């Protein structure tokens, strides 16, 4: 007997459910897909599996993949909230604070603005619904990394050259700034992927 799961329409349908239910525990997700496959198989028992129209009718009767995934997720109250995209403008403001916080702390007189930017950036990251907790933890670690890397690199350059000149200091600062920049890049990519996924699921 032909396995209906090999049909392109069925494969795409199950893949869509699997993707949207990605935060479900693996065992529960596999159980959901197995139940759907069994239902599709039973519904097509007396039909020609190569008949796209028949397969489409069965899938339409089964329901929208997003609705099925959402229903399954709703039955798992222990799951963390699903990430929700924010506007591009709000995301850009957050990322700007992440990138500019460290350089601003180095500017004489207005250095306090850098500390304010860092606090604001971290607050916006942790309040945002579009990043998961692990992503927020990594971004926080990268934003705060200069507190360790600047003194460490300064010590390394001092020991290596018997002193810390302006060139070595600038190099240490630039290298330390790479960590917050990496945090901004990672957060930006995640936000973009989330917006694309959400837009695709609505289309």
């Amino acid at each position: 007997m032909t396995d209906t799961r090999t049909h392109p329409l069925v494969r795409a349908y199950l893949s869509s459910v699997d993707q949207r239910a990605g935060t479900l525990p693996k065992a529960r997700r596999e159980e959901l897909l197995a139940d759907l496959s069994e239902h599709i198989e039973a519904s097509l028992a007396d039909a020609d599996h190569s008949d796209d129209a028949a397969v489409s009718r069965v899938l339409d009767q089964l329901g929208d993949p997003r609705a099925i995934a959402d229903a399954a997720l709703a039955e798992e109250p222990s799951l963390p909230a699903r990430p929700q995209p924010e506007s591009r403008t709000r995301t850009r403001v957050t990322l700007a604070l992440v990138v500019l916080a460290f350089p601003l702390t180095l500017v004489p007189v207005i250095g306090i603005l850098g500390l304010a930017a860092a606090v604001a950036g971290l607050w916006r990251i942790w309040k945002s619904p579009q990043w998961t907790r692990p992503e927020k933890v990594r971004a926080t670690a990268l934003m705060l990394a200069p507190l360790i890397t600047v003194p460490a690199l300064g010590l390394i350059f001092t020991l290596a050259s018997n002193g810390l000149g302006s060139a070595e200091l600038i190099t240490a600062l630039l290298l330390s700034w790479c960590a917050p920049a990496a945090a901004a890049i990672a957060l930006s990519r995640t936000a973009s992927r989330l917006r694309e996924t959400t837009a695709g699921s609505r289309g």
Side-chain angles (χ1 to χ4, degrees):
M1 181 174 61
T2 304
D3 185 354
T4 57
R5 288 174 296 183
T6 62
H7 191 286
L9 293 177
V10 175
R11 191 165 59 244
Y13 184 91
L14 295 176
S15 176
S16 181
V17 174
D18 187 31
Q19 180 180 2
R20 288 176 170 80
T23 55
L24 279 176
K26 182 179 180 181
R28 176 69 184 94
R29 194 167 68 252
E30 291 177 348
E31 179 185 0
L32 173 63
L33 296 175
D35 289 343
L36 292 173
S37 298
E38 182 179 347
H39 179 85
I40 295 170
E41 186 74 38
S43 299
L44 291 172
D46 300 324
D48 182 359
H49 291 187
S50 63
D51 184 353
D52 290 351
V55 174
S56 294
R57 282 195 298 272
V58 170
L59 297 180
D60 289 341
Q61 292 171 359
L62 196 56
D64 181 64
R66 180 175 54 184
I68 292 175
D70 288 344
L73 290 168
E75 296 175 358
E76 298 286 338
S78 61
L79 289 175
R82 298 179 67 183
Q84 299 296 325
E86 290 184 328
S87 68
R88 284 185 171 84
T89 299
R90 184 173 180 81
T91 299
R92 286 169 182 163
V93 171
T94 301
L95 299 180
L97 291 171
V98 172
V99 174
L100 296 177
F102 176 59
L104 285 175
T105 61
L106 307 175
V107 179
V109 182
I110 66 170
I112 189 65
L113 293 180
L115 295 177
V119 172
L122 289 172
W123 183 83
R124 291 174 71 95
I125 288 172
W126 281 94
K127 293 291 289 184
S128 172
Q130 67 182 342
W131 295 301
T132 63
R133 182 178 179 82
E135 290 167 343
K136 294 175 180 179
V137 170
R138 286 193 294 271
T140 299
L142 289 172
M143 277 193 68
L144 298 180
L147 296 176
I148 298 175
T149 56
V150 170
L153 289 171
L155 178 60
I156 292 173
F157 286 136
T158 299
L159 295 176
S161 60
N162 295 321
L164 184 63
S166 57
E168 290 80 7
L169 178 59
I170 293 174
T171 300
L173 295 175
L174 289 175
L175 290 175
S176 297
W177 180 75
C178 289
I185 292 172
L187 293 175
S188 175
R189 288 177 176 174
T190 300
S192 296
R193 285 196 300 268
L194 182 60
R195 278 195 296 269
E196 291 172 1
T197 301
T198 303
S201 65
R202 292 173 179 171

